Amino acid sequence: MSWKGTMRSLQASARRAERNAHRRQRELERRQQEFAKMEALEQAAYEVEVYENHIDILLSMHKECAEPVKWKKIFSKPEPKQPLKSGALEQAAMHASATYRPNFFARLFKLEKRQREVLLAKIASAAAEDEKVFQAEFEEWRTTHSDWAEERDIALRILDGDRQAKLDAIEAFESFEEISHLGSSIQMIVHEGGVLEAKLAIHGSHVIPTEIKSLLKSGKLSTKAMPAGRFNELHQDYVCSCALRVGRELLAILPDDLVVVTAMDTLLNSSTGHMEDQPILSVAFSRATVERLNLEAIDPSDAMKNFVHNMSFKKGSGFAVVTALDPQRFAVPVSGVS
């Protein structure tokens, strides 16, 4: 197993706490199989539940995060000890041969010579079995030692601020699958000075529903076009929630005290007249500030006020293009393993 595989195993062994929205989503997915058998009013209630759960998923992205990686602990993990060949089985067989004393029946039927030959033969087979056990233990140790050496090497490089090591670790942990399932992609860049920036192509306008589903007093389904202001507010909260989630995941994987997340979306470039991916939110997430937040209670858009950020948003028109933060301004010396 490579160190990347080991890291994934480590991550799997420390499962994140699943947020309520995800548990509710799985329950609704199970009920979907019964949808055709439902009465009309039950179907209407189910559709509204699915709609509300989708909104809840979008606006609670920031509430879930992987367990922090303890790189110093990984680096300090003791080296696996190479196994020694014990020869226990051979020694036992030799002892049995050396202490053999023929009994009454062996002497009576002249079996002593044959029994001694059997005991001598067992010494050879015991030695072969000892070798087989040793080789199996040695192969297991060699694999374990290789994993230990690779983990220690990546931990040292991470703690020393190695740029490629950061990117390798982020790739190994696969922490952004949920965001990618919602149609967003992420590009990681480690700038000079060591500050990591995540460019998040979020395309939130394709994820936010354009309709509002609710139940009438009669229990029937009501579907209305979502007002532009409400759509834009949901879009803003989703973008900010995703950005905070990405920031949290990166701070969990890396020992860095700060990461920059820049969210991109398709907007009109007034200089070219074309729709292009452009920055709509750029945030410098500091570890100390993130750890102080009550993530279950915050409004993701309002939470951006806690960080250095650029965002231009109006309820009526939505996001406007902003200038991405310059990661170089946040560069600080890396402390390393000491």
Side-chain angles (χ1 to χ4, degrees):
M1 180 186 293
S2 68
W3 76 266
K4 291 185 179 181
T6 304
M7 291 296 110
R8 283 193 288 269
S9 298
L10 182 151
Q11 194 72 333
S13 68
R15 278 293 153 205
R16 65 191 66 181
E18 185 180 40
R19 63 188 192 270
N20 290 331
H22 267 164
R23 287 192 288 270
R24 184 61 177 154
Q25 182 184 41
R26 286 208 312 277
E27 179 186 338
L28 291 169
E29 288 171 351
R30 285 195 296 269
R31 287 175 54 193
Q32 186 178 26
Q33 299 174 2
E34 306 168 6
F35 185 80
K37 301 177 183 178
M38 295 179 185
E39 299 292 337
L41 294 184
E42 287 181 298
Q43 290 182 347
Y46 175 79
E47 284 197 46
V48 171
E49 283 188 80
V50 172
Y51 167 81
E52 291 176 344
N53 176 252
H54 179 64
I55 297 295
D56 194 12
I57 289 283
L58 296 180
L59 305 188
S60 62
M61 298 292 294
H62 61 282
K63 294 182 181 181
E64 193 169 303
C65 183
E67 293 291 326
V69 183
K70 296 177 172 54
W71 291 109
K72 288 187 178 180
K73 183 177 181 180
I74 293 173
F75 177 75
S76 301
K77 188 176 178 180
E79 181 178 3
K81 292 184 178 179
Q82 183 173 342
L84 299 175
K85 187 175 179 180
S86 68
L89 297 177
E90 182 183 12
Q91 290 174 13
M94 291 175 65
H95 177 75
S97 177
T99 58
Y100 169 74
R101 297 292 181 270
N103 59 24
F104 171 78
F105 290 102
R107 292 194 301 272
L108 178 64
F109 295 105
K110 300 180 179 180
L111 299 175
E112 180 180 353
K113 180 178 179 182
R114 186 189 308 172
Q115 289 180 345
R116 288 190 181 279
E117 289 174 348
V118 170
L119 289 172
L120 288 173
K122 284 184 177 180
I123 294 175
S125 62
E129 186 62 26
D130 279 334
E131 180 65 23
K132 182 179 178 181
V133 170
F134 171 71
Q135 289 301 326
E137 291 177 346
F138 183 81
E139 286 302 315
E140 182 180 357
W141 168 81
R142 188 161 62 177
T143 300
T144 303
H145 190 275
S146 177
D147 290 343
W148 169 84
E150 289 190 36
E151 287 177 29
R152 192 173 189 276
D153 176 69
I154 188 68
L156 175 60
R157 291 165 56 211
I158 287 286
L159 293 168
D160 280 344
D162 183 271
R163 297 165 70 184
Q164 187 58 49
K166 291 183 180 183
L167 298 176
D168 289 343
I170 292 167
E171 179 186 0
F173 276 106
E174 301 176 348
S175 297
F176 304 104
E177 287 187 352
E178 182 185 5
I179 294 175
S180 65
H181 291 164
L182 292 173
S184 302
S185 60
I186 306 176
Q187 177 190 10
M188 303 293 174
I189 305 169
V190 182
H191 294 270
E192 292 293 337
V195 177
L196 186 138
E197 178 185 15
K199 290 189 175 181
L200 179 63
I202 207 159
H203 303 303
S205 57
H206 301 302
V207 178
I208 307 299
T210 56
E211 297 176 329
I212 297 177
K213 292 184 178 182
S214 61
L215 291 177
L216 300 173
K217 290 183 178 180
S218 63
K220 293 182 179 180
L221 179 66
S222 170
T223 303
K224 298 180 181 178
M226 184 177 291
R230 176 58 178 156
F231 180 91
N232 289 334
E233 286 180 328
L234 290 175
H235 188 194
Q236 183 191 30
D237 280 341
Y238 171 65
V239 170
C240 294
S241 184
C242 281
L244 181 52
R245 167 68 175 278
V246 171
R248 290 187 65 205
E249 294 283 8
L250 292 175
L251 291 172
I253 296 171
L254 304 176
D256 300 25
D257 291 324
L258 180 143
V259 294
V260 174
V261 178
T262 298
M264 317 282 288
D265 211 337
T266 305
L267 295 177
L268 178 67
N269 185 332
S270 59
S271 65
T272 66
H274 297 296
M275 301 296 289
E276 300 174 5
D277 275 353
Q278 300 185 81
I280 56 173
L281 170 67
S282 193
V283 195
F285 289 110
S286 67
R287 182 181 299 277
T289 303
V290 168
E291 290 177 348
R292 287 199 301 267
L293 297 179
N294 180 355
L295 293 159
E296 290 296 323
I298 63 169
D299 177 287
S301 298
D302 290 343
M304 296 301 104
K305 298 174 184 176
N306 296 293
F307 307 96
V308 177
H309 74 286
N310 288 338
M311 177 170 63
S312 177
F313 176 85
K314 293 181 180 178
K315 181 178 178 180
S317 56
F319 284 105
V321 178
V322 297
T323 301
L325 295 174
D326 180 7
Q328 294 292 83
R329 65 182 279 200
F330 304 104
V332 293
V334 179
S335 59
V337 298
S338 58

